[in-house]
Amino acid sequence: MTASQTDNLKRPRMARSMAAILGERTIELIIRICGVSAIVFVFGIFLFVLREGAPLIGKLDWTKVLFSQEWYPTSKGNVRYGVGALIVGTLSVTGLAMLFAVPFGIGAAVFVSEFSTGKVKETLKIVIEMLAAIPSIVWGFIGLSVMNRLIQQYLPAPVGLNLLNGAILLALMSVPIIVSIGEDALKAVPDSYREAAMAMGATRWQTVYRVLFPAARNGLLAAALLGVGRAIGETMAVLMATGHAVNIPKSIFDPIRTLTATIAAELGETAVGSDHYRMLFLIGVLLFSITFVVNLLADLAVRGVRKQ
Amino acid sequence: MANWLRSPSALLTVLVSRDRKAKLWVVIGLLFVLGAAGCSQSTAKTGGSSAKPQVIQNIGSDTMVNLAQAWAEEYQNVEPNVSVEVSGGGSGLGIAALINGTADIANSSRHIEPDEEAAVVAHSGSKPREFLVGFDALSIYVHKDNPITSISLEELHEIYAEGGKIDRWSQLGITNIPRARTDRIIRVSRQNNSGTYHYFREVVCGKKGDFKLGSLDMNGSKDVVELVSHTPGAIGYSGFGYNTKSVKMIPVARKKGEKAVLPSIETTLDKSYPISRPMFMYTPGEPPAHVRSYIDWILSPAGQKIVELTGYIPLNIAEDKK
């Protein structure tokens, strides 16, 4: 922009009254605060969570905490804070959920973006968004009352509340995110790619997996990672559906317990300031770090998309 | 309409379906329910305030919260000028409220500890008064198809406690549970800050003992029974009052070889059932007249009738049968 152009832009403003200028400044300031507030909140929350847990950090044997599965926070004889089984629980339920959700979500994204048109496409998009709007407690309820019985009845599972139950729910919850972001990624691929593929005589399927997938690779990766982020942070549904058992799963029919569910189940009734209370906040810090890493990876993947 | 209300999943299918009319009805129905809830709350408040009531704050044990609620509701009919506000949170929370002076009555499913008593004395100047208001028996539940006929405290210890050696039903001589799919005993327990968890741990795992890891920790007494009723290989413990037709309560013996007894009012009162505990109410010092008459009413046959109706064990059957 040249100097004369900026002058042109500024001139009408000069003619306005003092009040109008002040008003605009104020609004600008408010908008700026709104923008910056997200950063302030994220750091504020992290610091708050860390502060609540901090006094315990030095007192713990961290290799034991991270790798032992003995979670006995309210023991009278021997208090132990091993979160190993909880970490394994969180990772296993998220991993299994993604095994279901990623192929399903990407497949749905391909269908919505490439194979459907008009009314079908619109309906699908609306319904998928609706799926994302179902509160997690409702999913948990479905897991507890419907899936529990189905799994118990039709699969060789000794108990219906287990890893599989939680993973199916998490998959259903993260599919909408994967679909909508995956669809955006596919839409961002220029039409000239599709036309070129068609001109080469490629079938639609060949176009999808030879041309669109490589072109939208980063976006699809971001979609999957955001799905992972959603699944790791989920609390209510996994609390209700996974059986809430401190256990390293040996099969998908074993009950497990996640980090989030532990905080949700226990924080309400611990004495403020007790070691147990601080330990739950440290679990919060751990979770925060895991989701931060996942989101960072997703963000880097999206950046990769923009560069292309 | 009634069908949708009973089953949230059916409601959901209507909401995502394209049947606009049905969708509209569901939304209107929900608004109506919300509105009605709001109205009833506000009328309840205004109704109470007109009579200048005396309020009794009643805080404490989650085990007792249903009972305390039932008492409070019934007492409205007996003494409309006194309103009792009940909240749960655990025995420890109730006693903490007693110390802080925010509770007129603390409910507790355990005795007050000496240091807690000292704190109450330091705060209010007088010793807290203890009232025994009933008993709670913890039943051992299994699936209704489980052929087991009795269990001993030692076996429960081996099943539940850390280091215990029983993991399989066959170790108890049970080999033919229909549809169990596994010999493994599925242990159902409670979240680790529940009063029931603490009490069961003390009786079964020992004073300093801990539970074996890997039990399914449910967040409520009812959830335990619910899960056991759907899981053929499961065993769980929960309040005597939570018994349903789809689970089986098993008799418990103090020692292997001794006579196993089922929890009941009689076996709790004569102390032959090994897993039962008293329920207390505490007041900071001598209670004022309106609190005193509330507790007197609770201890009267009318109040004790409610103990029985809500699934707990009243103090005295003879009095109850009058």
Side-chain angles (χ1 to χ4, degrees), chain A residues 69 72-77 80 138 141 149 152-153 155-158 161 243-246 254 257 266 269, chain B residues 8 12 162 181-182 184 186 191-193 201 207-208 210-211 213-219 227 230-232:
Chain A
Q69 54 167 314
Y72 287 114
T74 59
S75 168
K76 283 213 166 133
R80 282 152 287 172
V138 175
F141 185 78
R149 265 170 244 190
Q152 180 72 53
Q153 207 143 34
L155 294 171
L161 300 180
H244 206 54
V246 181
D254 277 352
R257 190 200 272 212
E266 294 176 12
E269 291 172 55
Chain B
L12 280 175
E162 190 180 19
R181 297 213 174 86
T182 168
R184 215 168 70 211
I186 312 271
Q191 85 277 14
N192 58 26
N193 42 27
R201 184 174 68 184
K207 278 234 183 302
K208 298 257 167 182
D210 277 306
F211 280 107
L213 288 168
S215 58
L216 283 82
D217 303 340
M218 298 290 107
N219 261 329
L227 182 61
H230 293 307
T231 313

Side-chain angles (χ1 to χ4, degrees), chain A residues 93 96-98 100-102 166-176 178 231:
Chain A
V93 77
L96 189 63
M98 289 306 117
F100 299 136
V102 170
I168 291 174
L169 293 185
L170 285 187
L172 284 168
M173 293 169 87
S174 37
V175 155
I178 298 179

Side-chain angles (χ1 to χ4, degrees), chain B residues 95 108-114 116 130 278 280 282:
Chain B
I95 290 171
S108 176
S109 48
R110 59 170 170 82
H111 272 290
I112 192 167
E113 309 256 345
E116 290 168 336
E130 177 184 286
F280 299 108
Y282 286 96

Side-chain angles (χ1 to χ4, degrees), chain A residues 55-116:
Chain A
L56 196 66
I57 294 177
K59 284 199 251 169
L60 292 173
D61 175 359
W62 279 93
T63 44
K64 243 191 188 158
V65 167
L66 291 176
F67 298 107
S68 155
Q69 54 167 314
E70 292 178 350
W71 174 250
Y72 287 114
T74 59
S75 168
K76 283 213 166 133
N78 182 9
V79 176
R80 282 152 287 172
Y81 296 115
V83 296
L86 310 184
I87 296 175
V88 173
T90 290
L91 296 183
S92 60
V93 77
T94 308
L96 189 63
M98 289 306 117
L99 228 55
F100 299 136
V102 170
F104 204 79
I106 303 281
V110 169
F111 182 74
V112 170
S113 157
E114 306 299 321
F115 290 85
S116 65

Side-chain angles (χ1 to χ4, degrees), chain B residues 177-207:
Chain B
I177 306 172
R179 295 183 296 116
R181 297 213 174 86
T182 168
D183 189 23
R184 215 168 70 211
I185 299 175
I186 312 271
R187 282 165 287 127
V188 184
S189 182
R190 289 292 307 278
Q191 85 277 14
N192 58 26
N193 42 27
S194 117
T196 313
Y197 171 99
H198 282 263
Y199 176 66
F200 192 79
R201 184 174 68 184
E202 190 182 312
V203 174
V204 168
C205 308
K207 278 234 183 302

